[in-house]
mmCIF file of all heavy atoms in Angstrom:
data_model
loop_
_atom_site.group_PDB
_atom_site.id
_atom_site.type_symbol
_atom_site.label_atom_id
_atom_site.label_comp_id
_atom_site.label_asym_id
_atom_site.label_seq_id
_atom_site.Cartn_x
_atom_site.Cartn_y
_atom_site.Cartn_z
ATOM 1 N N ILE V 8 -1.190 -49.068 -2.342
ATOM 2 C CA ILE V 8 0.225 -48.703 -2.215
ATOM 3 C C ILE V 8 0.991 -49.341 -3.333
ATOM 4 O O ILE V 8 1.840 -48.686 -3.951
ATOM 5 C CB ILE V 8 0.813 -49.117 -0.830
ATOM 6 C CG1 ILE V 8 0.068 -48.307 0.273
ATOM 7 C CG2 ILE V 8 2.277 -48.918 -0.816
ATOM 8 C CD1 ILE V 8 0.499 -48.751 1.687
ATOM 9 N N ALA V 50 8.569 -5.198 17.836
ATOM 10 C CA ALA V 50 9.496 -4.103 17.702
ATOM 11 C C ALA V 50 8.798 -2.802 17.454
ATOM 12 O O ALA V 50 9.156 -1.726 18.027
ATOM 13 C CB ALA V 50 10.518 -4.372 16.599
ATOM 14 N N ALA V 57 7.781 4.221 22.930
ATOM 15 C CA ALA V 57 8.973 4.945 23.436
ATOM 16 C C ALA V 57 8.725 6.433 23.463
ATOM 17 O O ALA V 57 7.880 6.976 22.751
ATOM 18 C CB ALA V 57 10.167 4.600 22.477
ATOM 19 N N LEU V 93 4.010 19.582 -1.316
ATOM 20 C CA LEU V 93 3.639 18.201 -1.706
ATOM 21 C C LEU V 93 2.205 18.298 -2.263
ATOM 22 O O LEU V 93 1.289 18.463 -1.461
ATOM 23 C CB LEU V 93 3.769 17.236 -0.576
ATOM 24 C CG LEU V 93 3.413 15.768 -0.818
ATOM 25 C CD1 LEU V 93 4.409 15.198 -1.843
ATOM 26 C CD2 LEU V 93 3.438 15.001 0.453
ATOM 27 N N ALA V 118 19.651 19.953 7.892
ATOM 28 C CA ALA V 118 18.231 20.261 8.011
ATOM 29 C C ALA V 118 17.366 18.997 7.839
ATOM 30 O O ALA V 118 17.879 17.985 7.321
ATOM 31 C CB ALA V 118 17.870 21.304 6.976
ATOM 32 N N LEU V 120 13.400 17.946 6.507
ATOM 33 C CA LEU V 120 12.135 18.412 5.949
ATOM 34 C C LEU V 120 11.022 18.160 6.961
ATOM 35 O O LEU V 120 10.896 17.052 7.539
ATOM 36 C CB LEU V 120 11.828 17.705 4.612
ATOM 37 C CG LEU V 120 12.732 18.106 3.403
ATOM 38 C CD1 LEU V 120 12.348 17.213 2.241
ATOM 39 C CD2 LEU V 120 12.532 19.562 3.086
ATOM 40 N N ASN V 128 -6.340 23.784 -2.080
ATOM 41 C CA ASN V 128 -5.776 24.079 -3.395
ATOM 42 C C ASN V 128 -5.870 25.548 -3.769
ATOM 43 O O ASN V 128 -5.079 26.073 -4.503
ATOM 44 C CB ASN V 128 -6.522 23.284 -4.492
ATOM 45 C CG ASN V 128 -5.678 22.090 -4.970
ATOM 46 O OD1 ASN V 128 -4.584 21.865 -4.520
ATOM 47 N ND2 ASN V 128 -6.291 21.353 -5.875
ATOM 48 N N GLU V 134 2.582 32.759 -2.827
ATOM 49 C CA GLU V 134 2.288 34.015 -2.079
ATOM 50 C C GLU V 134 1.299 33.750 -0.951
ATOM 51 O O GLU V 134 1.260 34.529 0.034
ATOM 52 C CB GLU V 134 1.772 35.065 -2.987
ATOM 53 C CG GLU V 134 0.543 34.679 -3.845
ATOM 54 C CD GLU V 134 0.912 34.179 -5.210
ATOM 55 O OE1 GLU V 134 2.051 33.698 -5.386
ATOM 56 O OE2 GLU V 134 0.060 34.276 -6.120
ATOM 57 N N ARG V 137 2.889 32.563 2.825
ATOM 58 C CA ARG V 137 3.506 33.438 3.800
ATOM 59 C C ARG V 137 2.692 33.635 5.055
ATOM 60 O O ARG V 137 3.270 33.867 6.135
ATOM 61 C CB ARG V 137 3.734 34.846 3.178
ATOM 62 C CG ARG V 137 4.444 34.865 1.833
ATOM 63 C CD ARG V 137 5.754 34.147 1.838
ATOM 64 N NE ARG V 137 6.733 34.646 2.805
ATOM 65 C CZ ARG V 137 7.986 34.260 2.873
ATOM 66 N NH1 ARG V 137 8.437 33.361 2.058
ATOM 67 N NH2 ARG V 137 8.787 34.789 3.783
ATOM 68 N N ILE V 151 8.564 10.351 12.540
ATOM 69 C CA ILE V 151 9.426 10.101 11.407
ATOM 70 C C ILE V 151 8.672 9.433 10.271
ATOM 71 O O ILE V 151 7.884 8.518 10.433
ATOM 72 C CB ILE V 151 10.602 9.222 11.799
ATOM 73 C CG1 ILE V 151 11.539 9.947 12.756
ATOM 74 C CG2 ILE V 151 11.421 8.742 10.567
ATOM 75 C CD1 ILE V 151 12.303 11.070 12.199
ATOM 76 N N ILE V 157 10.649 5.683 -5.537
ATOM 77 C CA ILE V 157 10.095 4.705 -6.486
ATOM 78 C C ILE V 157 11.291 4.151 -7.260
ATOM 79 O O ILE V 157 12.390 4.634 -7.171
ATOM 80 C CB ILE V 157 9.099 5.353 -7.453
ATOM 81 C CG1 ILE V 157 9.773 6.463 -8.301
ATOM 82 C CG2 ILE V 157 7.929 5.932 -6.705
ATOM 83 C CD1 ILE V 157 8.808 7.065 -9.340
ATOM 84 N N ARG V 175 5.919 13.639 -4.514
ATOM 85 C CA ARG V 175 6.297 12.682 -3.428
ATOM 86 C C ARG V 175 7.461 13.290 -2.704
ATOM 87 O O ARG V 175 8.198 14.136 -3.229
ATOM 88 C CB ARG V 175 6.636 11.329 -3.962
ATOM 89 C CG ARG V 175 7.867 11.313 -4.878
ATOM 90 C CD ARG V 175 8.081 9.934 -5.485
ATOM 91 N NE ARG V 175 9.278 9.896 -6.279
ATOM 92 C CZ ARG V 175 9.461 10.389 -7.490
ATOM 93 N NH1 ARG V 175 8.413 10.921 -8.087
ATOM 94 N NH2 ARG V 175 10.614 10.331 -8.120
ATOM 95 N N PRO V 191 18.016 11.810 5.957
ATOM 96 C CA PRO V 191 17.471 10.876 5.029
ATOM 97 C C PRO V 191 16.014 10.511 5.284
ATOM 98 O O PRO V 191 15.395 9.689 4.604
ATOM 99 C CB PRO V 191 18.386 9.626 5.116
ATOM 100 C CG PRO V 191 18.883 9.713 6.522
ATOM 101 C CD PRO V 191 19.074 11.177 6.825
ATOM 102 N N GLN V 196 4.706 16.769 11.254
ATOM 103 C CA GLN V 196 4.371 17.477 12.465
ATOM 104 C C GLN V 196 3.032 16.970 13.034
ATOM 105 O O GLN V 196 2.060 16.842 12.311
ATOM 106 C CB GLN V 196 4.290 18.992 12.251
ATOM 107 C CG GLN V 196 4.174 19.783 13.526
ATOM 108 C CD GLN V 196 4.306 21.302 13.296
ATOM 109 O OE1 GLN V 196 4.380 21.719 12.143
ATOM 110 N NE2 GLN V 196 4.316 22.064 14.345
ATOM 111 N N PRO V 199 -1.893 19.633 17.366
ATOM 112 C CA PRO V 199 -1.931 19.979 18.789
ATOM 113 C C PRO V 199 -2.836 19.081 19.546
ATOM 114 O O PRO V 199 -3.733 18.374 18.969
ATOM 115 C CB PRO V 199 -2.395 21.443 18.769
ATOM 116 C CG PRO V 199 -3.123 21.582 17.445
ATOM 117 C CD PRO V 199 -2.442 20.680 16.465
ATOM 118 N N PHE V 229 -1.908 -25.609 2.906
ATOM 119 C CA PHE V 229 -1.987 -26.983 3.471
ATOM 120 C C PHE V 229 -3.235 -27.721 3.037
ATOM 121 O O PHE V 229 -3.205 -28.945 2.776
ATOM 122 C CB PHE V 229 -1.972 -26.891 5.050
ATOM 123 C CG PHE V 229 -0.649 -26.466 5.602
ATOM 124 C CD1 PHE V 229 -0.606 -25.574 6.631
ATOM 125 C CD2 PHE V 229 0.529 -26.977 5.086
ATOM 126 C CE1 PHE V 229 0.647 -25.160 7.134
ATOM 127 C CE2 PHE V 229 1.812 -26.582 5.608
ATOM 128 C CZ PHE V 229 1.829 -25.665 6.637
ATOM 129 N N LYS V 245 -10.454 -45.717 -7.430
ATOM 130 C CA LYS V 245 -11.475 -45.908 -8.441
ATOM 131 C C LYS V 245 -10.921 -46.727 -9.639
ATOM 132 O O LYS V 245 -11.550 -47.572 -10.233
ATOM 133 C CB LYS V 245 -12.020 -44.584 -8.923
ATOM 134 C CG LYS V 245 -13.178 -44.706 -9.933
ATOM 135 C CD LYS V 245 -13.721 -43.365 -10.315
ATOM 136 C CE LYS V 245 -14.893 -43.490 -11.262
ATOM 137 N NZ LYS V 245 -14.610 -44.251 -12.461
#
Side-chain angles (χ1 to χ4, degrees):
I8 294 175
L93 180 64
L120 289 175
N128 255 1
E134 56 264 26
R137 309 305 302 187
I151 294 290
I157 63 175
R175 64 186 186 280
Q196 188 171 7
F229 290 138
K245 183 178 183 304

